[in-house]
Amino acid sequence: MKGELIENRVIVWNIEDSRKLFSGGYYGKPIGIPKPKIEEIDAPLVLDLIESLYLLENKKITITKSKHKVTVEQMIEICKKEHHDFDKKYLVYKNFRDKGYIINPGIKFGCDFAVYEKGPGIDHAPFLIQVYNRNEPITSTGIVLAGRLATTVRKQFILAIPKGKDNVDFLALDWWKA
């Protein structure tokens, strides 16, 4: 399957490839279809940089820019320019994807990622993930805000703290009424 890097997105122009990628792990968003069902996909697929790198590393897609092949190393450099703390966020993304979860940007929830067990449109994301650096302070206000948000949308808030090059520690926050 082929994707084309355009600015900070990768476009899969072939409709059949778009369907395969989306159905094989809910990768990307079909252009112009807000809540897609697999059988309704009749448009190119837009992939964000993080999921594009993951697919490239796992040899599920090839990526070109101006008709030149983009290597994994080149893609990592592009991602680093676009994403603050990219290495840490990618490690968390990869950790969840490798375990079979569907992980999407969490911008609408005010966090780094929303994580699904089955996929968007099939189930609701049970987890909201915020990536922290190991030495980064977390304020009590930040914890309360995270807790309020997560409870309002009925999700569990998880702090993901990368540890070294391959490991991630997780701290889950649960809230209950006193």
Side-chain angles (χ1 to χ4, degrees):
M1 290 185 244
K2 297 177 184 178
E4 180 183 4
L5 179 63
I6 300 175
E7 293 183 23
N8 63 352
R9 297 281 186 254
V10 172
I11 311 294
V12 177
W13 295 105
N14 181 286
I15 305 303
E16 192 56 40
D17 288 348
S18 293
R19 278 191 203 109
K20 284 179 188 173
L21 276 175
F22 191 80
S23 66
Y26 293 94
Y27 294 100
K29 304 263 185 280
I31 296 173
I33 306 173
K35 292 189 177 184
K37 296 199 178 358
I38 293 161
E39 63 277 3
E40 297 173 351
I41 296 175
D42 61 353
L45 196 66
V46 179
L47 302 168
D48 71 28
L49 292 177
I50 288 178
E51 63 190 345
S52 298
L53 174 60
Y54 184 80
L55 290 166
L56 183 63
E57 280 186 340
N58 286 283
K59 299 178 177 25
K60 297 203 186 252
I61 64 170
T62 58
I63 300 173
T64 58
K65 180 178 181 177
S66 304
K67 299 186 181 179
H68 293 89
K69 194 171 183 178
V70 176
T71 66
V72 169
E73 293 76 20
Q74 290 169 326
M75 195 66 185
I76 289 170
E77 288 308 310
I78 292 165
C79 290
K80 284 180 179 180
K81 289 177 186 168
E82 289 288 328
H83 289 281
H84 174 71
D85 281 339
F86 166 75
D87 292 331
K88 292 168 184 60
K89 289 177 183 173
Y90 185 67
L91 181 60
V92 171
Y93 177 91
K94 186 175 161 93
N95 186 289
F96 277 99
R97 272 292 184 178
D98 287 350
K99 290 177 182 169
Y101 289 97
I102 309 302
I103 183 165
N104 284 341
I107 189 78
K108 73 178 179 181
F109 297 110
C111 61
D112 290 318
F113 300 111
V115 178
Y116 298 81
E117 291 176 319
K118 296 179 183 160
I122 297 174
D123 64 345
H124 291 279
F127 311 115
L128 299 179
I129 310 295
Q130 185 65 40
V131 181
Y132 283 91
N133 292 312
R134 188 154 294 283
N135 58 357
E136 185 177 350
I138 303 170
T139 66
S140 55
T141 305
I143 290 174
V144 170
L145 287 171
R148 288 188 63 123
L149 168 68
T151 353
T152 303
V153 293
R154 297 185 178 150
K155 299 178 186 331
Q156 185 175 43
F157 195 83
I158 298 176
L159 307 176
I161 306 160
K163 178 180 178 180
K165 289 182 83 174
D166 298 319
N167 296 314
V168 181
D169 287 334
F170 297 101
L171 177 63
L173 303 177
D174 287 317
W175 304 89
W176 66 93
K177 290 182 182 180

